[in-house]
Amino acid sequence: METIDVVVVNKTVEAERVAAFELARADRAALPPFTAGAHIDVHLPGQLVRQYSLCGSTQDLSRYTIAVLREPGSRGGSEAIHAAVREGDVLRIGAPRNHFPLQPAPYYVLLAGGIGITPMICMADELARQGARFELHYCSRSPQLAAFRGRLAAAPYAGHVHCHYDDGAPQQRLDLARVFGDAGMDSHVYVCGPGGFINHVEGGAALAGLAAQQVHREYFSAAPLDTTGDKAFEITLARSGRRLPVPAGRSVLEVLLAHGVDIPVSCEQGVCGTCVTRVLEGIPHHRDMYFTDQEHASNQQFTPCCSRSKTPSLVLDL
Ligand code: FES
């Protein structure tokens, strides 16, 4: 996959445990264009590759901005970027990809939980630029942990931004029934944050009568998988006819790589969609957070990094 070398031209503390990084090409040439909701792969020290949403302006291609929450319990990426990456360092990134694009809607409700603000602030900027109607709700444990407060307060759309703090007064808490009721039945909801927050928003939207297709979500990381019931199955690579056993303790991805079948991979936990592979026969056991329920039900694609099979064999378009 195409990668780009960028220099960290600015590193700032945006909130407690949140650092923002501005990345530019060494020769200051323009970076590839992107749309709101896009993310980039960032190649970190120690062979780590992590995805970060672009949170700068889609109109400024002189630099990309990402913001990273330092999570001591994470798989290493956030610690590595906070501790090891400094201004002047060169990083390798992937070209922007967007699995979370804005779709035309008469009204948008943007909901950010914690560091989930990163794609949302880009969306809010973009919607404001387009003159679209929207409101942004930003939920955080406390003001100290909320990144981009200054930027949001100074934005021309500041009147459409509502901050909700867990440690704040009860009357400022997020009231989804009221938010969705006021927004109207034809609004579209965009939500990004931890899994529990997304589930809460999806439940609230369903209760308010919004259809599943009106709710668009982006997870940051998957909950730990329970693999105790995993069973062995077989995959067939349609193009070569090769048949490969997948034992209970190994992922399809591990089996593919062990047999020299290289597929693009990034998060390895069913969040980013990089490894998506077409399924020609068989029924996958989906365990990703990437596809919608409808896409899962169609069984046409799956994520070999974490998903398995419900049938004894899967035929893959590889
Ligand atoms: Fe991210 Fe499989 S590598 S979904």
Side-chain angles (χ1 to χ4, degrees):
M1 229 179 293
E2 186 208 347
T3 59
I4 307 163
D5 284 343
V6 289
V7 180
V8 178
V9 291
N10 206 2
K11 176 181 178 182
T12 49
V13 175
E14 273 297 333
E16 237 173 69
R17 293 170 46 212
V18 179
F21 299 82
E22 291 180 6
L23 314 171
R25 278 200 217 253
D27 61 3
R28 298 300 189 265
L31 289 156
F34 67 98
T35 49
H39 69 270
I40 53 170
D41 286 346
V42 178
H43 298 252
L44 296 168
Q47 305 285 320
L48 292 169
V49 181
R50 291 290 178 268
Q51 291 74 44
Y52 295 103
S53 296
L54 294 174
C55 47
S57 166
T58 59
Q59 304 303 295
D60 179 6
L61 298 179
S62 70
R63 59 193 57 206
Y64 291 155
T65 305
I66 59 172
V68 182
L69 171 70
R70 184 166 50 78
E71 292 176 286
S74 75
R75 292 158 65 234
S78 70
E79 291 278 19
I81 196 165
H82 265 260
V85 177
R86 308 217 162 90
E87 284 179 15
D89 284 356
V90 174
L91 292 178
R92 201 151 42 92
I93 64 170
R97 287 177 294 158
N98 197 345
H99 300 311
F100 191 41
L102 284 167
Q103 289 166 22
Y107 194 82
Y108 298 85
V109 180
L110 310 180
L111 290 142
I115 194 65
I117 189 63
T118 50
M120 292 302 163
I121 196 168
C122 185
M123 285 183 175
D125 284 354
E126 185 62 20
L127 291 172
R129 196 179 70 78
Q130 294 175 3
R133 297 169 59 235
F134 73 98
E135 62 192 63
L136 167 62
H137 294 267
Y138 184 8
C139 299
S140 177
R141 295 227 301 276
S142 69
Q144 294 74 27
L145 290 165
F148 299 121
R149 277 193 305 143
R151 181 169 147 193
L152 288 169
Y157 53 82
H160 303 284
V161 178
H162 309 273
C163 294
H164 309 276
Y165 301 116
D166 291 354
D167 66 358
Q171 58 272 24
Q172 53 88 61
R173 300 270 165 85
L174 179 64
D175 179 347
L176 286 175
R178 210 187 54 200
V179 168
F180 293 140
D182 290 350
M185 295 304 291
D186 52 0
S187 56
H188 274 232
V189 177
Y190 285 77
V191 54
C192 185
F197 179 74
I198 293 179
N199 293 343
H200 177 60
V201 168
E202 286 184 322
L207 270 180
L210 297 180
Q213 308 88 274
Q214 290 172 262
V215 183
H216 313 265
R217 74 231 154 117
E218 180 152 271
Y219 287 93
F220 274 128
S221 60
L225 278 178
D226 178 5
T227 57
T228 45
D230 285 1
K231 295 200 174 56
F233 58 99
E234 184 182 78
I235 52 170
T236 300
L237 312 185
R239 294 177 207 168
S240 61
R242 283 171 84 192
R243 292 162 62 168
L244 306 173
V246 182
R250 299 188 86 189
S251 68
V252 176
L253 175 69
E254 286 170 331
V255 169
L256 289 171
L257 295 179
H259 287 84
V261 184
D262 239 354
I263 62 166
V265 57
S266 187
C267 73
E268 295 179 56
Q269 51 178 341
V271 171
C272 70
T274 304
C275 69
V276 166
T277 300
R278 277 213 322 138
V279 176
L280 302 176
E281 278 174 42
I283 301 175
H285 176 199
H286 298 288
R287 298 204 292 202
D288 63 278
M289 318 290 278
Y290 174 70
F291 291 122
T292 62
D293 290 347
Q294 274 180 320
E295 288 167 331
H296 281 152
S298 80
N299 288 324
Q300 290 176 349
Q301 302 181 94
F302 89 137
T303 51
C305 65
C306 65
S307 295
R308 300 185 68 79
S309 183
K310 287 184 178 167
T311 43
S313 118
L314 284 181
V315 180
L316 305 180
D317 185 15
L318 289 173

